[in-house]
Amino acid sequence: MLSNEQEVAPAAPAVALSEADLAHVARYEASKARLERVRGDYVRRMPLYYKCFVGLVAAGLACFALGVLAGVWGTFSTALVSVGGYGMLRARVWELEVEIAEVDEEIDHIRAGRPLRRRR
């Protein structure tokens, strides 16, 4: 069993932040909060989108009532739109997660007293 000193990693030395650094941190935290709200909205609405995509495919399958050619065309079209739409939504959620991680990294850089990374 480890003692308390071995369980807790040593803390990084505290760096006094300038007013400009504090302003940067505040802007980054506001940006992070906005990104998290947008991501949360997407995640919260994802079941609704999923139901709409399933309903769209069902409407495509209903095209078989008009004939085989119309049924195949309707089913293929609605399935393609549904899969593409769901994929784009998942990709956007993933992009937001990456952006949130980058903002966290920038905040850590500022708080550690290291210079900001410049994006290419």
Side-chain angles (χ1 to χ4, degrees):
M1 186 179 257
L2 299 174
S3 68
N4 271 349
E5 293 120 275
Q6 292 173 338
E7 290 178 9
V8 178
V15 176
L17 298 177
S18 68
E19 292 296 322
D21 288 340
L22 291 174
H24 275 126
V25 169
R27 281 195 307 250
Y28 278 118
E29 287 176 344
S31 176
K32 178 183 173 185
R34 183 185 56 80
L35 290 171
E36 286 176 341
R37 271 193 317 274
V38 170
R39 183 191 163 281
D41 288 343
Y42 276 119
V43 170
R44 189 183 75 250
R45 290 187 306 234
M46 194 67 84
L48 175 64
Y49 290 131
Y50 184 74
K51 289 175 187 174
C52 289
F53 293 146
V54 168
L56 189 61
V57 171
L61 289 170
C63 290
F64 277 106
L66 302 173
V68 173
L69 185 59
V72 169
W73 177 81
T75 303
F76 177 75
S77 298
T78 58
L80 184 67
V81 168
S82 295
V83 169
Y86 191 75
M88 285 188 276
L89 286 170
R90 293 297 306 155
R92 182 61 185 141
V93 168
W94 175 76
E95 284 176 340
L96 288 167
E97 290 170 352
V98 169
E99 288 180 44
I100 290 168
E102 287 177 353
V103 169
D104 277 337
E105 188 177 320
E106 290 292 333
I107 291 171
D108 290 342
H109 274 267
I110 293 170
R111 287 189 175 147
R114 294 178 288 201
L116 290 174
R117 291 184 311 127
R118 300 290 179 210
R119 293 191 180 148
R120 295 179 217 166

